[in-house]
Amino acid sequence: MSRSLLSRCNLRSISTSACRNEYVYGLSSVQAALHARKRVHLDKLYIQKTIDRYIHLIFFFRVFYGASRKTKQKTSTRVSPILDACQQQNIPISQVDKGELNNMSANKPHQGVVLDGSPRIPITLQGMSKVDNGEYYGVTQKPVSFKTASDRPPVWVVLDEVQDPQNLGSILRTAYYLGVDGVLLCSKNSASLTPAVSKVSAGAMELMDVYATRNLVKFLQASSEEGWHIVGAAAMETSADYLHSSKVVDKPTMLVLGNEGVGLRYNVKRCCNQFISIPSVGDTKSDLVDSLNVGVAAGILISRLCL
């Protein structure tokens, strides 16, 4: 198991036994982390001193006197539940200068709040069981139980070495919003669950469990043997079916999306029962723009499969 620090490199192993704290930044991500409490521990909230005078008053009265102050200001309305959650969970709150927050967030847009906490670590799976009346489990040392939340069969999104944190964050946000049953990553050569991914996902990363596998080919093969339909998104595949609005999921399905540069790896393609692609319209297709960004493609394909 890798000892690399998740916060140091997006492309290192996303499973690690030696992890230091990281700084979650941005209003949505911080509030979601406090609400879901999926991180092992949350240690301290840092809030900008000069974010505005209303937040300063809220901070002063709530932290020191427990009093309530109402304001119509949008920013202070967003910060108010964050302060409440910290008080309820006994998380210390510290006011610091904007420069310190800039350092914590690597000069990313923090919106005046940064939360110090442990990293998000994906849950490792080896395969999926057969689905029985909407119930199934993930194969691992300690099986993880699942139950689909809708009338349709479960739909999972599987990412084959997606390395861009922006794309991963976008896909997680879409998957959460459209009700995907689960998201699974490759343990290696994939973007990690970093604060940057959390920010792009608008906090969705904090609200959902994310899974990983050390060997994607074996995972897909094992799942296929249990009745899962493996669908690969492959724009350049000659056998790919065009996805239309009439597409209906009638069996447990895994939508596999490939790397930004090379798409699906050869051995991953061999695991797929079917390929799908998104048709271009009119004369828009050319050698210069011949496919969609994986984050955009994921949104279109997921909406067709889940809605």
Side-chain angles (χ1 to χ4, degrees):
M1 184 174 292
S2 171
R3 294 181 180 274
S4 303
L5 299 179
L6 295 183
S7 59
R8 294 292 181 85
C9 181
N10 286 320
L11 302 184
R12 295 178 183 175
S13 172
I14 57 178
S15 297
T16 177
S17 60
C19 299
R20 58 189 294 179
N21 276 15
E22 60 187 16
Y23 295 117
V24 184
Y25 56 88
L27 292 167
S28 295
S29 293
V30 169
Q31 186 172 356
L34 290 166
H35 172 76
R37 303 177 70 174
K38 290 185 177 295
R39 294 176 182 267
V40 176
H41 53 84
L42 300 171
D43 295 336
K44 193 170 187 177
L45 176 73
Y46 296 90
I47 184 170
Q48 186 176 322
K49 285 182 178 179
T50 57
I51 190 169
D52 70 39
R53 63 190 182 91
Y54 296 101
I55 292 177
H56 179 78
L57 289 173
I58 290 175
F59 175 85
F60 182 81
F61 283 98
R62 293 197 175 193
V63 173
F64 295 99
Y65 295 102
S68 176
R69 286 293 183 271
K70 295 182 179 180
T71 175
K72 296 181 180 180
Q73 296 296 317
K74 180 179 179 180
T75 306
S76 50
T77 300
R78 297 284 305 277
V79 172
S80 179
I82 291 176
L83 298 177
D84 287 340
C86 286
Q87 285 189 278
Q88 293 168 6
Q89 298 176 38
N90 296 317
I91 298 173
I93 304 172
S94 178
Q95 286 187 299
V96 297
D97 293 328
K98 182 178 180 180
E100 291 187 52
L101 296 182
N102 289 343
N103 291 334
M104 293 176 187
S105 65
N107 291 312
K108 302 289 179 58
H110 50 69
Q111 298 174 288
V113 290
V114 171
L115 181 64
D116 182 6
S118 59
R120 286 296 313 275
I121 306 297
I123 302 167
T124 300
L125 299 178
Q126 298 170 358
M128 286 294 185
S129 73
K130 190 181 297 293
V131 179
D132 183 14
N133 293 323
E135 297 184 355
Y136 55 103
Y137 62 89
V139 179
T140 185
Q141 291 182 345
K142 184 178 181 180
V144 182
S145 299
F146 300 104
K147 182 175 178 61
T148 185
S150 60
D151 295 333
R152 59 158 172 75
V155 174
W156 276 62
V157 172
V158 178
L159 304 181
D160 180 19
E161 297 189 349
V162 170
Q163 298 177 347
D164 188 339
Q166 298 286 326
N167 286 331
L168 178 55
S170 172
I171 292 169
L172 291 177
R173 181 175 184 173
T174 299
Y176 182 82
Y177 185 81
L178 295 179
V180 164
D181 293 88
V183 176
L184 180 129
L185 319 174
C186 293
S187 293
K188 295 182 179 180
N189 300 321
S190 295
S192 303
L193 300 182
T194 62
V197 172
S198 180
K199 183 69 166 63
V200 175
S201 75
M205 190 194 91
E206 306 294 337
L207 300 173
M208 60 194 297
D209 288 325
V210 182
Y211 301 86
T213 185
R214 294 185 178 91
N215 190 317
L216 181 57
V217 172
K218 289 184 178 180
F219 174 89
L220 294 175
Q221 290 173 340
S223 300
S224 180
E225 291 172 359
E226 295 296 325
W228 287 79
H229 189 60
I230 313 301
V231 179
M236 306 305 293
E237 191 70 29
T238 56
S239 62
D241 299 320
Y242 285 143
L243 188 68
H244 300 289
S245 58
S246 59
K247 177 69 180 179
V248 176
V249 173
D250 56 3
K251 61 186 71 174
T253 299
M254 292 184 180
L255 172 64
V256 189
L257 298 160
N259 173 275
E260 295 88 347
V262 299
L264 297 175
R265 290 174 291 165
Y266 175 76
N267 285 338
V268 172
K269 284 184 178 182
R270 294 184 63 184
C271 298
C272 296
N273 306 120
Q274 177 188 3
F275 295 103
I276 56 175
S277 65
I278 302 168
S280 61
V281 179
D283 297 326
T284 58
K285 189 169 183 180
S286 70
D287 292 336
L288 297 177
V289 184
D290 60 358
S291 64
L292 293 173
N293 170 278
V294 65
V296 174
I300 296 172
L301 296 174
I302 292 170
S303 67
R304 290 291 187 265
L305 294 174
C306 292
L307 300 182

